[in-house]
C-alpha cells in the first residue's frame, strides 16, 4: 500500500501544472513581436545608475539604435528592485534595451526583453538590417588614440560574441535545474526501493 501511495504521489508531481502567470508578460515575445511592441530599441552602455525614491534612472550612451531613438545619450527609468527580465541594469555593462516612451520619458518596463549584449546574438541577427543613425554628440570629438577602454568596449558591443557566448544563458540554467531535480528524484527512488526490498 505504501508503494502504491508513493507511486501515485510521484506521478502527480510530474503531471503538467496548469498555466498560471503572475504577470501578463511571463511569456516572452518573439523578436519580431518585441520589435513591433516597444517604442525604442537600442544597444546602450550604462554609464551610471542613480537611485531615486521610486525607481532607478539609467544614464546610458547609445551605441547603436534600431528603432526611433537618435539621441547619443538617454536617461531611462527602471524599476529598482526588478528591472527588466534580466534584473536591474548594472553600471559599466552593455545591454540591448527594448524601451517604451511614457509622458515624454523613456522607460525600461518590467516585462521588457532587454538583455545583456552577450546574450543578444540571435536578437542582433534580426536587427542587423534595421539600424538607424544616431545624431552626433554636441561634445568635442575624441581622437581614437585618446579613446578610453570603456568607450572602446561600448563601440564594439554590437560585434558578434565569441562562439561560447552565442547561446542564451537563461536556457542553460533552466535545463540544469530540471536535470538536478530529476537526478535528486532518481537517487531518492533508488534509495527508497533498495531499503524496502
Amino acid at each position: 500500500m505504501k508503494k502504491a501511495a508513493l507511486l501515485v504521489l510521484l506521478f502527480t508531481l510530474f503531471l503538467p501544472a496548469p498555466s498560471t502567470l503572475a504577470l501578463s508578460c511571463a511569456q516572452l515575445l518573439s523578436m519580431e513581436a518585441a520589435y513591433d511592441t516597444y517604442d525604442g530599441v537600442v544597444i546602450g552602455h550604462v554609464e551610471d545608475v542613480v537611485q531615486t525614491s521610486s525607481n532607478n534612472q539609467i544614464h546610458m550612451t547609445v551605441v547603436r539604435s534600431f528603432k526611433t531613438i537618435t539621441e547619443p545619450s538617454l536617461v531611462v527609468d527602471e524599476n529598482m528592485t526588478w528591472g527588466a527580465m534580466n534584473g536591474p541594469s548594472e553600471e559599466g555593462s552593455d545591454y540591448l534595451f527594448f524601451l517604451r516612451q511614457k509622458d515624454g520619458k523613456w522607460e525600461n518596463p518590467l516585462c521588457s526583453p532587454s538583455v545583456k549584449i552577450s546574450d543578444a546574438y540571435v536578437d542582433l541577427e534580426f536587427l542587423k538590417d534595421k539600424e538607424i543613425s544616431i545624431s552626433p554628440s554636441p561634445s568635442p570629438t575624441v581622437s581614437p588614440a585618446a579613446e578610453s577602454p570603456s568607450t572602446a568596449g561600448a563601440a564594439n558591443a554590437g560585434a558578434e560574441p565569441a562562439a561560447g557566448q552565442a547561446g542564451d544563458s537563461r536556457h542553460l540554467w533552466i535545463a540544469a535545474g530540471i536535470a538536478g531535480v530529476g537526478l535528486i528524484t532518481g537517487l531518492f527512488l533508488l534509495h527508497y526501493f533498495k531499503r524496502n526490498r
Side-chain angles (χ1 to χ4, degrees), residues 14-188:
F14 289 106
L15 288 176
S19 178
T20 27
L21 306 174
L23 295 172
S24 62
C25 64
Q27 293 178 328
L28 293 176
L29 298 173
S30 69
M31 185 59 205
E32 294 85 3
Y35 184 82
D36 291 339
T37 301
Y38 291 92
D39 301 320
V41 180
V42 299
I43 293 175
H45 178 76
V46 177
E47 301 291 345
D48 194 15
V49 178
V50 177
Q51 288 188 348
T52 66
S53 60
S54 60
N55 60 21
N56 283 343
Q57 285 189 337
I58 310 302
H59 296 257
M60 75 170 79
T61 300
V62 176
V63 178
R64 293 171 66 190
S65 180
F66 302 99
K67 185 175 181 182
T68 309
I69 298 169
T70 58
E71 295 90 0
S73 61
L74 292 175
V75 176
V76 176
D77 289 337
E78 178 180 80
N79 183 288
M80 68 174 45
T81 56
W82 185 1
M85 300 290 268
N86 264 355
S89 301
E90 299 170 357
E91 187 176 330
S93 296
D94 294 336
Y95 292 87
L96 175 61
F97 285 103
F98 291 82
L99 305 173
R100 285 229 166 91
Q101 196 165 30
K102 186 176 180 181
D103 300 326
K105 294 182 177 182
W106 289 103
E107 70 173 351
N108 187 20
L110 289 178
C111 297
S112 167
S114 298
V115 294
K116 282 195 171 185
I117 202 68
S118 59
D119 294 331
Y121 178 73
V122 174
D123 299 337
L124 291 173
E125 279 296 311
F126 172 80
L127 294 170
K128 68 181 175 186
D129 298 331
K130 298 179 177 2
E131 187 167 359
I132 62 175
S133 297
I134 299 171
S135 301
S137 176
S139 63
T141 306
V142 177
S143 69
E147 189 176 70
S148 72
S150 64
T151 309
N156 292 328
E160 194 171 301
Q165 296 177 336
D168 190 350
S169 61
R170 290 176 288 182
H171 295 111
L172 294 175
W173 282 109
I174 292 170
I178 291 171
V181 168
L183 179 65
I184 291 170
T185 303
L187 290 173
F188 172 76

